[in-house]
C-alpha cells in the first residue's frame, strides 16, 4: 500500500510517499494513522492526535472509519486551501 | 463540462469563447477569476505582504474532485456549459489562479452555480497554498469563511 | 469605474486584462456576460424562436444611468475595479450583449456587486429589446422576474 | 422643450421627438402627458391612461409629479428591457 503526504505534512514526515505493509489488524484509516505514528518522530508529529488533517483512500476523501480493504493508495493532508 | 488542472496561465477570453461558441441557448455566462492578492489580510491570524505563492495539489485526485463538483453543479442547476481551470505551481501577486465559468439559459442559475463551484472547490479540491512573504514561507491555514461559504450549499437531509 | 455604451462587440479577455492589470489588490473578479439566446422562453407570455434582436437605447441617459448604478455598487461594496460594457443595435443569436465585471479583494463582495449591477442595469438603464422572430418583430415586455431581482437590492427605509 | 419617445411609443406616436411649447399651466410631467394626448390619435394611444410607460426629465428617471420648471428634455418610454 502506498501512503502519501501533502503540504506541511510531507515536510514534517520527511518524505512525500512510502510503501508500507501494515499488519492484518490495521483495517481502517484510523488504525493506519496509529500504526504510522510509530515509524518516526516526524510521523508521530504530523499524524498527532488533534492535528488538523484529512485523508483520502484511492484518491477519494475518506473519514477515519473508512475500511482499507483493497486500498492501493492512502493520502494524508491538511485542510484544502485552493481557489 | 470541462476541468483543466495545469501549471500554465490561461487565456480568459479564449476559454470563454471556446465554452460558448456555437451554443445559442446560453443567455447568461457567470465567470469567476481568482487572482493572487498581494496583501493577505486575515483578521486575528496574520497580515503579511504576499509576493508569490506556490500551489501544491494531488494529481489524479484533483481532477476527480473537480469533476465531481462540476457534475454536482450540473445536477442542481439547468446549465449549458461549465468550465473549471485551476493552476498549480508558483504564481506571483497579480497572477490568475483559477477560472470558473458557467453558462445557462438564465442568469440566476449561472450566478448561483458559479458561486457554488467556487465555494466547493475551495473546500473540496486538494490544493494547498504556500505563501512567500518577507518573513518567509508560510502554509495558508484553512479559512473558516470558506467552510461557512461551502456549508451553505449542503443539502438538508 | 468604467462604462462603455457601444454598437461594436467587445473582447472579454482584453477588457478583463485592462481592468485588472497592475492591480494586485484584487483577489476575486466576478464577471457576467449576457448573450442573445435563440429561444426566448417565458411561461404564459410567448415562446418564440429569436433569430436576432435590436437594442434601442437613450444616448446620454444610458451612460448617466449606468454610471450611477456603478457608483452605487462602489458605495455598497469595497471594490477595486468595476466595468460595464453594454451594446446597442442589432445582434444575432449567440452574440454578446453586455459585460459586467467587478474586482474586489474578496470574492463574496465581487459576486454580490456583480449580481447587483446586472439586476439594476436590467431595470434602471434605458434599453429596449426588439426581437426578430419568424412571426415578426416584437418588443420585449418587462420581465417581472427582473423587477423582483432588482427589488432585493432596495435598501429598507 | 424637446419631447422624445422610445421603443414602441416612438412608433405609436409616429415620431422620435418633437419641440413643444405647452401653456404655463402645464407644470408637471403628468400635466404634460395630458396636454400631449390632444396632439394626435397616436399621442393619445401611446400616452393613454393605464399604459405602462415611464418618463425622464433631462435624462433622469422622473415620476409623473416631477415639476417641469426649467426642463429642456422630457422623454417617455416603456419599461426597460436591457441586459
Amino acid at each position: 500500500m502506498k501512503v502519501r503526504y501533502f503540504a506541511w505534512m510531507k515536510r514534517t514526515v520527511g518524505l512525500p510517499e512510502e510503501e508500507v505493509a501494515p499488519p492484518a489488524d490495521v483495517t481502517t484509516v484510523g488504525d493506519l494513522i496509529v500504526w504510522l505514528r510509530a515509524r518516526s518522530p516526524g510521523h508521530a508529529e504530523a499524524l498527532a492526535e488533534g492535528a488538523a488533517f484529512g485523508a483520502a483512500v484511492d484518491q477519494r476523501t475518506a473519514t477515519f472509519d473508512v475500511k482499507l480493504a483493497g486500498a492501493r493508495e492512502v493520502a494524508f493532508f491538511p485542510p484544502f486551501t485552493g481557489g | 463540462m470541462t476541468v483543466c488542472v495545469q501549471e500554465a496561465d490561461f487565456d480568459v477570453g479564449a476559454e470563454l469563447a471556446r465554452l460558448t461558441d456555437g451554443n445559442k441557448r446560453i443567455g447568461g455566462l457567470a465567470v469567476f477569476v481568482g487572482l493572487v492578492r498581494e496583501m493577505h489580510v486575515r483578521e486575528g491570524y496574520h497580515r503579511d505582504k504576499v509576493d508569490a505563492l506556490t500551489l501544491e495539489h494531488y494529481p489524479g485526485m484533483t481532477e476527480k474532485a473537480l469533476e465531481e463538483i462540476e457534475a454536482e453543479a450540473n445536477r442542481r442547476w439547468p446549465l449549458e456549459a461549465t468550465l473549471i481551470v485551476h493552476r498549480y505551481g508558483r504564481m506571483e501577486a497579480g497572477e490568475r489562479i483559477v477560472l470558473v465559468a458557467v453558462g445557462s439559459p438564465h442568469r440566476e442559475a449561472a450566478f448561483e452555480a458559479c458561486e457554488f463551484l467556487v465555494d466547493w472547490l475551495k473546500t473540496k479540491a486538494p490544493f494547498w497554498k504556500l505563501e512567500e512573504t518577507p518573513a518567509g514561507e508560510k502554509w495558508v491555514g484553512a479559512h473558516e469563511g470558506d467552510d461557512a461559504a461551502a456549508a451553505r450549499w449542503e443539502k438538508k437531509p
Side-chain angles (χ1 to χ4, degrees), chain A, chain B:
Chain A
M1 177 192 297
K2 185 193 280 187
V3 177
R4 304 180 66 171
Y5 307 98
F6 289 93
W8 60 259
M9 295 185 75
K10 174 162 60 186
R11 310 213 181 176
T12 305
V13 171
L15 36 83
E17 60 182 65
E18 56 189 327
E19 280 294 332
V20 299
D25 62 344
V26 170
T27 62
T28 66
V29 173
D31 294 342
L32 181 64
I33 291 167
V34 172
W35 183 78
L36 285 167
R37 279 183 198 143
R39 288 175 72 87
S40 82
H43 284 79
E45 183 187 342
L47 299 165
E49 201 162 351
F53 66 89
V57 173
D58 289 335
Q59 306 192 347
R60 287 186 180 273
T61 303
T63 50
F64 292 175
D65 58 348
V66 165
K67 299 280 183 200
L68 295 174
R72 287 181 300 178
E73 182 173 304
V74 179
F76 296 103
F77 37 66
F80 307 147
T81 55
Chain B
M1 304 218 299
T2 308
V3 161
C4 298
V5 181
Q6 60 187 48
E7 191 157 9
D9 188 18
F10 45 82
D11 178 330
V12 177
E15 294 289 350
L16 298 184
R18 197 179 313 153
L19 188 69
T20 58
D21 264 8
N23 186 335
K24 297 181 177 177
R25 294 179 303 278
I26 298 176
L29 181 67
V31 182
F32 178 80
V33 182
L35 302 120
V36 182
R37 194 151 47 101
E38 191 169 60
M39 295 300 286
H40 187 106
V41 180
R42 189 164 299 171
E43 312 311 329
Y45 178 55
H46 66 219
R47 187 189 180 102
D48 280 339
K49 186 166 174 295
V50 173
D51 298 312
L53 58 76
T54 298
L55 257 174
E56 185 176 327
H57 79 120
Y58 185 168
M61 179 171 169
T62 310
E63 291 80 356
K64 282 197 195 81
L66 293 178
E67 282 162 11
E68 276 173 27
I69 294 166
E70 197 181 39
E72 181 64 27
N74 278 277
R75 277 190 291 272
R76 294 188 183 203
W77 289 277
L79 308 179
E80 286 288 335
T82 50
L83 170 69
I84 302 173
V85 184
H86 205 305
R87 295 177 65 194
Y88 60 87
R90 188 173 183 280
M91 284 158 256
E92 301 195 347
E95 282 194 63
R96 285 173 282 270
I97 305 172
V98 61
L99 169 66
V100 175
V102 177
S104 170
H106 302 284
R107 74 179 189 281
E108 298 83 357
F111 268 121
E112 278 186 34
C114 188
E115 277 201 84
F116 166 84
L117 286 170
V118 174
D119 286 345
W120 270 33
L121 77 81
K122 281 183 180 269
T123 55
K124 294 182 195 290
F127 287 100
W128 302 276
K129 282 198 186 105
L130 179 66
E131 291 177 343
E132 296 174 28
T133 78
E137 289 188 343
K138 185 178 296 182
W139 287 101
V140 176
H143 188 188
E144 280 177 27
D146 287 340
D147 290 336
R152 67 186 161 137
W153 303 105
E154 295 294 350
K155 292 206 161 147
K156 303 294 176 294

